[in-house]
Amino acid sequence: MTTARAESIYRRLVARLGRVLPEMELRHAAEVAAEIERLKVMRQAVVVAHNYMEPALYYSVADLTGDSLDLSRRLKDLQCRTVVFCGVRFMAESAAILAPDRQILIPSPRAGCSLAESITAEDVRNLKAALPEMPVVSYVNTYAEVKAESDICCTSSNAAAVLRKLGEKGIRRVIFLPDEYLARNTAGELGWNFVVVGRNENGGLDGVGGVPGQGAVVVGWRGRCEVHERFTVADVENARRQFPDVTVLAHPECPPEVVEAADFSGSTNAMISYVERNGPRRLLLLTECSMGDNIQAANPDVEIVRLCTLRCPHMNEVTLEQTRWSLENMEYRVTVEDTIAEAAARSLEGMIAFA
Ligand code: 13P
Ligand code: SF4
């Protein structure tokens, strides 16, 4: 039986997503979303959703949406006991570290990230021992143990600004983990040298010998986003050939030559703002494909060239149904051990203070 709440969510979803999703799916989504709204009140909970969440979830139950930096920054202002984090585990961990007085839930225990999984705290300790004069800047796409070993965190929206600030303090030689492409793209933007290192088969380090003794340098790690590494220059060229008026936006986790071939590169929030500010007629988004649907829904006049196959399998774990289950069962709780949380908080707070 459809409740008044479900009916009102359904009408809102049709207005927003009627051009993107079939009504049958919106009807089902509205029923589940109405249940989630009821559970949110019962549990004094809010739902926080990353920009990659599927449109029906993003536009129905989310109280706060944004990119990694934005969500970390605004979390503390939320009035609630529980946060259901609709995103991946490293994001929920950051929430647990930054808001230790709230209970943090993630709807799926399988929502990982190939970047976060590419590096361990031991790898960072090995790097610090090999390159002791260099501070460690960690992308937020890392687990708490890695953040705890780092000096400061950054996201794709402030990576260059963090390095620039370090440069102003005379620090122009840094370890930047774990995304090789974000590190390369950021080094390129600043005109600093770049060297990549990685773990060898014995658990030691590869490539450290290639780090120059002098000059500005970013030492990156051999980690990749399994979604963004798949975009190629040929994708951009083919799209431009087929649609000569297309505007191409690329996330900075894409390979440098792809970022170079795009018209603009920035974090997920930066891409959303770009579309709002510039209103391109036709758009190719080189990023997770649900975000294309979310942008399409908010900008009906923009024609989006679809690349529907590139869905992040980890973000895809988090659905409206899983979110309802999470609130029903108060699972899965995300906690971080105290000493790790304390050290990781310093790196995250450093990033937020900086932003
Ligand atoms: P943003 O910080 O741009 O939201 O990106 C997070 C992410 O995981 C991109 O793949
Ligand atoms: Fe990680 Fe890539 Fe998925 Fe983002 S899109 S969560 S970087 S695997």
Side-chain angles (χ1 to χ4, degrees), residues 50 52 67-68 90-91 139 141 155-156 228 251 253 267-268:
H50 184 261
Y52 287 165
D67 69 2
S68 313
F90 75 79
M91 296 176 179
Y139 190 28
N141 295 40
T155 71
S156 55
H228 293 93
H251 195 277
E253 290 170 8
S267 75
T268 54

Side-chain angles (χ1 to χ4, degrees), residues 68-69 72-73 90-91 93-98 138-140 142 144 147-148 150-155 158 341-355:
S68 313
L69 179 62
S72 309
R73 250 193 330 212
F90 75 79
M91 296 176 179
E93 266 191 4
S94 294
I97 294 164
L98 290 167
S138 278
Y139 190 28
V140 286
T142 44
K147 290 186 174 84
S150 308
D151 295 289
I152 189 164
C153 288
C154 71
T155 71
N158 67 0
E342 218 173 282
R346 280 195 288 277
S347 303
L348 280 167
E349 302 278 9
M351 169 186 84
I352 290 170
F354 179 86

Side-chain angles (χ1 to χ4, degrees), residues 335-348:
T335 54
V336 179
E337 200 246 299
D338 283 353
T339 47
I340 302 283
E342 218 173 282
R346 280 195 288 277
S347 303
L348 280 167

Side-chain angles (χ1 to χ4, degrees), residues 10-332:
Y10 173 69
R11 272 191 255 110
R12 195 153 38 87
L13 284 178
V14 169
R16 185 56 106 175
L17 298 173
R19 284 164 44 101
V20 178
L21 294 175
E23 285 192 15
M24 186 178 70
E25 192 170 329
L26 296 179
R27 176 68 71 190
H28 172 71
E31 300 283 348
V32 181
E35 274 293 292
I36 292 173
E37 290 298 345
R38 183 183 65 76
L39 289 161
K40 272 161 67 175
V41 175
M42 194 169 113
R43 306 290 198 194
Q44 296 180 48
V46 298
V47 171
V48 167
H50 184 261
N51 290 328
Y52 287 165
M53 284 299 105
E54 60 177 23
L57 187 160
Y58 189 82
Y59 285 113
S60 63
V61 295
D63 300 290
L64 179 62
T65 57
D67 69 2
S68 313
L69 179 62
D70 205 23
L71 296 180
S72 309
R73 250 193 330 212
R74 290 161 64 201
L75 200 70
K76 277 192 174 151
D77 304 333
L78 297 172
Q79 302 299 317
C80 60
R81 286 162 68 99
T82 298
V83 174
V84 185
F85 208 109
C86 292
V88 293
R89 195 180 123 216
F90 75 79
M91 296 176 179
E93 266 191 4
S94 294
I97 294 164
L98 290 167
D101 51 334
R102 318 281 162 77
Q103 181 161 253
I104 310 294
L105 304 177
I106 189 165
S108 166
R110 289 180 300 277
C113 169
S114 65
L115 283 172
E117 261 122 60
S118 72
I119 189 157
T120 64
E122 192 185 345
D123 293 326
V124 187
R125 285 191 287 273
N126 288 342
L127 272 168
K128 290 199 290 192
L131 303 165
E133 84 285 6
M134 293 193 187
V136 177
V137 180
S138 278
Y139 190 28
V140 286
N141 295 40
T142 44
Y143 291 125
E145 293 77 6
V146 167
K147 290 186 174 84
E149 292 288 344
S150 308
D151 295 289
I152 189 164
C153 288
C154 71
T155 71
S156 55
S157 63
N158 67 0
V162 167
L163 293 204
R164 230 176 249 121
K165 193 78 182 174
L166 291 174
E168 282 165 19
K169 292 182 180 168
I171 303 165
R172 290 160 60 83
R173 297 170 60 75
V174 300
I175 299 169
F176 186 116
L177 310 167
D179 185 357
E180 176 182 342
Y181 290 152
L182 177 65
R184 266 187 202 279
N185 287 323
T186 310
E189 195 178 329
L190 299 179
W192 295 14
N193 291 314
F194 179 81
V195 177
V196 67
V197 300
R199 188 189 312 125
N200 62 31
E201 61 216 13
N202 307 316
L205 294 175
D206 241 4
V208 177
V211 177
Q214 286 180 354
V217 67
V218 173
V219 177
W221 183 252
R222 225 175 273 134
R224 304 271 175 85
C225 163
E226 67 190 89
V227 177
H228 293 93
E229 72 170 347
R230 289 166 62 194
F231 293 113
T232 64
V233 174
D235 292 334
V236 180
E237 287 171 353
N238 288 337
R240 289 202 196 280
R241 199 170 307 120
Q242 197 179 347
F243 307 103
D245 60 349
V246 76
T247 299
V248 182
L249 309 188
H251 195 277
E253 290 170 8
C254 292
E257 62 279 11
V258 172
V259 167
E260 184 71 22
D263 298 296
F264 174 81
S265 173
S267 75
T268 54
N269 265 18
M271 287 191 266
I272 292 169
S273 308
Y274 180 98
V275 178
E276 284 165 0
R277 267 198 327 272
N278 299 289
R281 211 171 80 75
R282 207 190 292 272
L283 195 61
L284 174 68
L285 281 165
L286 301 180
T287 193
E288 212 285 336
C289 62
S290 270
M291 201 174 92
D293 291 333
N294 293 336
I295 290 184
Q296 177 73 89
N299 302 274
D301 294 339
V302 178
E303 207 162 296
I304 304 209
V305 178
R306 292 267 175 251
L307 273 175
C308 302
T309 44
L310 286 177
R311 178 86 171 111
C312 169
H314 309 286
M315 294 283 181
N316 199 32
E317 286 285 328
V318 180
T319 60
L320 270 173
E321 283 81 0
Q322 280 293 121
T323 304
R324 175 179 58 188
W325 184 90
S326 183
L327 275 165
E328 273 165 357
N329 297 283
M330 295 304 274
E331 294 279 7
Y332 296 90

